[in-house]
Amino acid sequence: GVLAWLIECVDENLLSMEDVGIKTKPVFNHKNFNLIDDSNTNAQVGVELLDSIVNKKGLMNFAEGARKLARHLSRNKNKDIINKFVFNSFARKGWMVPNQYWTPGVLSPMPIAGKYFMYYGNDFITPYDLGKKNADSMKNEFISDNMGFCRFHRKWAEEMIPEIIGSLWNIKDEYILRNKMTSSRLSSRNSSVFWESERNVDFVNSFINRQKLVEKTDNPEFNKWFDAFSADKNKASIEFWYEMHKGSDMSLREF
């Protein structure tokens, strides 16, 4: 995600090749893209960019993270630089490139980013209900996490682990309760920050448009959000984000 952001900034002349410390010009236009040759070129660009980051070539000082650098470059060079970067923000300096699914769930304001503490299905659900599903995912993922199970086994593990705990120590109900309490207390420290990049807004907006034009989604709740994003994507995105936050908060209250 970071490399794609830098490559796009070079491709659109927001940053120069010297700024990012590379000698190879990337190929970032999908039209007439040569799958082998252009992919090899971009692979070389990726290697050069990683080398630049490690050695702080040009303007590539990641000492305080990509989010801080994006804000710095946007102030001093071009405000659109940060708008090309897809990332979640947390507190003052926290950031993470989201899991690579084209669904709003990956940009949810959860207390821990980068894990699957969210719903990432392709269907549209209201942002409030999405937040509730995120909370359920967080509690369920903790069951596997805390017992050292691979999440690829979650379909059976999330159901069976409490049963195993109950059969071994007779504390199934307490185990489930403690898991909910842990989730709630982590949620109380949720310092997620509303999307700082316009690309995040466009990410969700394009998902909504696809639901309408390709998936043919048609119900009153969806149409309300489709109309809102069509009228003013920035205003709608704020409401969407806070509705997700509200849904997860209400589901992760301890009492």
Side-chain angles (χ1 to χ4, degrees):
V2 172
L3 299 186
W5 162 55
L6 295 174
I7 289 174
E8 184 171 359
C9 286
V10 171
D11 181 71
E12 297 194 8
N13 297 314
L14 299 174
L15 292 170
S16 69
M17 294 171 62
E18 291 75 18
D19 288 336
V20 300
I22 63 175
K23 297 180 180 179
T24 306
K25 185 174 178 59
V27 183
F28 207 66
N29 193 323
H30 68 281
K31 295 180 179 179
N32 302 315
F33 188 88
N34 185 292
L35 189 60
I36 296 176
D37 294 340
D38 293 340
S39 294
N40 284 334
T41 296
N42 287 341
Q44 178 60 35
V45 174
V47 171
E48 292 177 12
L49 284 171
L50 291 172
D51 184 62
S52 294
I53 292 170
V54 170
N55 293 293
K56 299 182 180 180
K57 295 181 181 178
L59 302 177
M60 298 294 94
N61 187 342
F62 280 75
E64 296 187 86
R67 175 191 176 195
K68 195 72 177 288
L69 176 62
R71 295 170 69 176
H72 172 76
L73 294 174
S74 294
R75 282 193 301 267
N76 292 286
K77 291 188 69 68
N78 191 306
K79 65 181 180 62
D80 283 335
I81 290 175
I82 198 171
N83 287 327
K84 305 298 180 182
F85 188 19
V86 180
F87 67 101
N88 283 313
S89 304
F90 196 88
R92 290 183 60 208
K93 296 183 179 180
W95 66 279
M96 180 158 292
V97 172
N99 312 59
Q100 293 182 334
Y101 292 87
W102 188 16
T103 63
V106 301
L107 294 175
S108 298
M110 295 300 288
I112 298 177
K115 295 183 68 64
Y116 286 89
F117 294 171
M118 78 252 176
Y119 176 75
Y120 53 100
N122 290 322
D123 52 320
F124 173 84
I125 54 179
T126 66
Y128 181 82
D129 288 334
L130 176 57
K132 292 173 63 177
K133 280 184 171 289
N134 291 339
D136 290 339
S137 294
M138 179 177 175
K139 288 180 284 189
N140 290 334
E141 292 277 343
F142 267 141
I143 291 176
S144 298
D145 279 357
N146 291 335
M147 293 301 295
F149 277 76
C150 170
R151 70 179 303 275
F152 288 166
H153 292 274
R154 64 190 180 280
K155 287 296 184 181
W156 69 266
E158 290 171 2
E159 180 180 351
M160 290 298 298
I161 289 173
E163 298 293 337
I164 294 170
I165 296 295
S167 67
L168 292 175
W169 293 289
N170 196 31
I171 53 171
K172 173 185 174 181
D173 292 341
E174 182 181 354
Y175 174 77
I176 293 173
L177 176 62
R178 295 286 182 176
N179 183 68
K180 290 180 179 179
M181 290 172 63
T182 299
S183 301
S184 175
R185 290 172 184 179
L186 276 171
S187 179
S188 71
R189 294 164 173 79
N190 189 350
S191 299
S192 296
V193 177
F194 175 66
W195 302 321
E196 296 174 317
S197 169
E198 187 178 9
R199 182 57 55 83
N200 285 27
V201 175
D202 289 334
F203 182 108
V204 177
N205 188 32
S206 62
F207 171 84
I208 297 289
N209 283 323
R210 178 180 172 82
Q211 289 292 313
K212 182 73 169 182
L213 301 175
V214 178
E215 304 297 337
K216 307 299 182 184
T217 303
D218 186 16
N219 61 67
E221 277 297 323
F222 169 77
N223 291 334
K224 181 186 76 172
W225 285 103
F226 176 79
D227 291 341
F229 272 92
S230 298
D232 187 337
K233 67 177 183 180
N234 293 309
K235 179 181 178 182
S237 66
I238 295 174
E239 295 174 358
F240 197 97
W241 189 89
Y242 276 103
E243 282 294 305
M244 287 193 292
H245 210 319
K246 188 192 303 182
S248 61
D249 278 353
M250 292 301 294
S251 297
L252 292 171
R253 297 176 69 190
E254 187 171 334
F255 302 104

